[in-house]
Amino acid sequence: MPDQHAAALALDHAHCRAICDEIGDRLREVLKPEAMEIPDRLRTLLDRLAQLDEAPSIVPSLDEMSFPKDREPLAAVS
């Protein structure tokens, strides 16, 4: 039974293309850069993120994480 309904609801290529084109046209209209204003709170958060990108990293470098040559790493615990 579900196959009969699926076949009845199936759209041909021309209709699928027309639907996709219409969705694209509407999205282009809604998402125009001049039509979109970023809320103040989001703009503040984006500015803060940009500041944090310029801050020094708190992640240790590989040299800081490696063992000194005169010291061996701990053996795995069994």
Side-chain angles (χ1 to χ4, degrees):
M1 281 284 177
D3 291 335
Q4 290 175 338
H5 294 297
L9 296 176
L11 299 174
D12 63 10
H13 176 72
H15 285 97
C16 287
R17 182 77 262 148
I19 291 170
C20 290
D21 289 344
E22 183 64 26
I23 291 170
D25 290 343
R26 290 183 187 197
L27 283 174
R28 271 188 289 284
E29 187 64 33
V30 170
L31 299 176
K32 282 183 180 175
E34 61 271 7
M36 295 182 65
E37 292 183 27
I38 298 176
D40 290 336
R41 176 69 178 143
L42 181 56
R43 171 58 55 202
T44 302
L45 292 172
L46 289 171
D47 291 342
R48 179 72 179 128
L49 183 60
Q51 290 173 352
L52 291 174
D53 278 345
E54 296 171 5
S57 176
I58 61 170
V59 178
S61 68
L62 287 176
D63 292 335
E64 294 171 330
M65 294 186 339
S66 62
F67 292 102
K69 293 183 184 201
D70 60 338
R71 187 172 150 213
E72 293 182 26
L74 298 174
V77 177
S78 348

